Amino acid sequence: MREVTYEQIVDAVKQLCIEANVDLGFDVVRAMQEARKREKSAVAEEVLSQLLQNAEIAAAERVPMCQDTGMSVFLVELGQDCHIVGGSLYDAINEGVRRGYGEGYLRASIVHDPIQRKNTGDNTPGIVHVELVAGDTCTIHMTAKGFGSENMSRLKMMKPSDGIEGVKAFVLETVRLAGPNACPPVVVGVGLGGNFEMSAYLAKRALFRPIGERNQREDAAQLELALLEQINQLGLGPQGMGGRTTALDVHVELFATHIAGLPVAVNINCHASRHKHVTL
């Protein structure tokens, strides 16, 4: 049994919160650079250049790349032989968010409930998903999820008879309806299977995968590429101003489902696809 302390988690989460907001991942930067080379629209090329410049300024000056510093969402892969001491995992993560958003001068965007809507003042609580895995380590994946794109996400309980073509049509419709509101170029997470809540979780988990990394299932990987091509044929382009680059990537996650169902969820991420991780 290996021990990880409360303070180790707090410190790690604090750094994740700051770094996710100021350091755009290399996978996202590279994808935008490659997209800029392929663009035929001068406007789209200029928008991509400005987004890349924005990321450079944020990293150099240690300021947020976007004013919406997001809701903190965590996917924790907790080894079954890892013991957390000195406090609970959830308390440690929320304390890390509190410190990270405070010390990083990041906007507090969370209200304590959806009815009274009083700001918590420190961007807590975060949303935490825990998966128990083999081993004795604790890997924490974090995303600062902005709500311009989150609000454009959708879920549909489809019929098996709708098939993969029905799934494609729903994903394309979702991206088209999102238009410029999701701040394209977007990353599209698709959760296929499970039930109502599982499909949404799958779609969120898909967004943690680095851009360009395909699903290990060949048929799912081909679905990702087909959707990416069709989305980029919509012509929305960077920031909705036209062009070939509406999406940087599409990630599909699968799970078993009922014989009578075909749940599909689409979770959209904006061009600031902020995801970081650490292993303790």
Side-chain angles (χ1 to χ4, degrees):
M1 184 70 69
R2 179 171 167 272
E3 292 186 346
V4 172
T5 69
Y6 173 93
E7 282 297 332
Q8 282 179 288
I9 296 171
V10 170
D11 288 341
V13 169
K14 179 184 77 172
Q15 288 303 123
L16 289 176
C17 291
I18 295 172
E19 291 172 6
N21 276 288
V22 303
D23 294 314
L24 189 60
F26 178 69
D27 61 322
V28 187
V29 171
R30 180 178 57 191
M32 285 201 284
Q33 289 172 338
E34 292 176 352
R36 183 173 58 178
K37 294 176 184 178
R38 295 190 299 268
E39 272 296 348
K40 299 299 182 182
S41 164
V43 172
E45 185 178 348
E46 175 59 24
V47 171
L48 288 169
S49 294
Q50 290 183 14
L51 294 177
L52 287 165
Q53 184 182 25
N54 179 75
E56 290 175 5
I57 293 170
E61 299 189 10
R62 312 312 293 166
V63 295
M65 66 189 76
C66 178
Q67 78 277 7
D68 182 356
T69 53
M71 189 167 196
S72 301
V73 182
F74 298 87
L75 172 57
V76 182
E77 296 171 335
L78 182 62
Q80 61 186 8
D81 295 319
C82 179
H83 182 213
I84 297 168
V85 296
S88 78
L89 172 65
Y90 295 96
D91 288 346
I93 287 176
N94 280 318
E95 180 58 28
V97 172
R98 184 176 295 109
R99 295 185 193 179
Y101 275 73
E103 294 178 26
Y105 300 99
L106 307 174
R107 191 182 82 182
S109 304
I110 306 306
V111 294
H112 80 294
D113 75 54
I115 299 175
Q116 296 182 12
R117 307 196 69 86
K118 180 181 178 181
N119 199 300
T120 63
D122 55 15
N123 222 60
T124 66
I127 294 176
V128 183
H129 304 282
V130 180
E131 294 186 0
L132 190 64
V133 298
D136 62 0
T137 61
C138 177
T139 298
I140 304 172
H141 301 267
M142 183 266 180
T143 182
K145 189 64 173 69
F147 261 57
S149 56
E150 189 78 357
N151 285 339
M152 298 296 106
S153 302
R154 299 167 76 211
L155 186 153
K156 186 174 183 179
M157 302 301 292
M158 303 184 76
K159 303 183 297 294
S161 58
D162 292 322
I164 293 302
E165 290 308 311
V167 170
K168 288 181 181 179
F170 178 68
V171 175
L172 287 170
E173 179 187 53
T174 300
V175 176
R176 180 180 59 78
L177 290 173
N181 296 315
C183 289
V186 297
V187 179
V188 182
V190 180
L192 190 57
N195 60 358
F196 180 82
E197 78 273 9
M198 187 62 177
S199 62
Y201 171 67
L202 292 170
K204 179 70 71 183
R205 191 172 71 180
L207 296 179
F208 285 89
R209 197 195 312 164
I211 292 175
E213 184 178 302
R214 300 268 71 85
N215 191 298
Q216 293 183 356
R217 279 257 307 259
E218 180 61 26
D219 53 352
Q222 291 303 314
L223 177 59
E224 291 173 343
L225 292 171
L227 283 168
L228 180 60
E229 181 179 1
Q230 291 176 33
I231 288 170
N232 284 331
Q233 289 174 353
L234 292 174
L236 295 171
Q239 298 298 289
M241 299 181 71
R244 295 184 172 189
T245 316
T246 299
L248 296 174
D249 210 352
V250 178
H251 296 157
V252 176
E253 293 289 330
L254 308 174
F255 196 80
T257 193
H258 193 278
I259 57 172
L262 181 59
V264 55
V266 182
N267 195 200
I268 299 179
N269 216 348
C270 64
H271 68 86
S273 182
R274 297 168 291 197
H275 54 90
K276 300 289 180 182
H277 73 277
V278 65
T279 297
L280 302 174

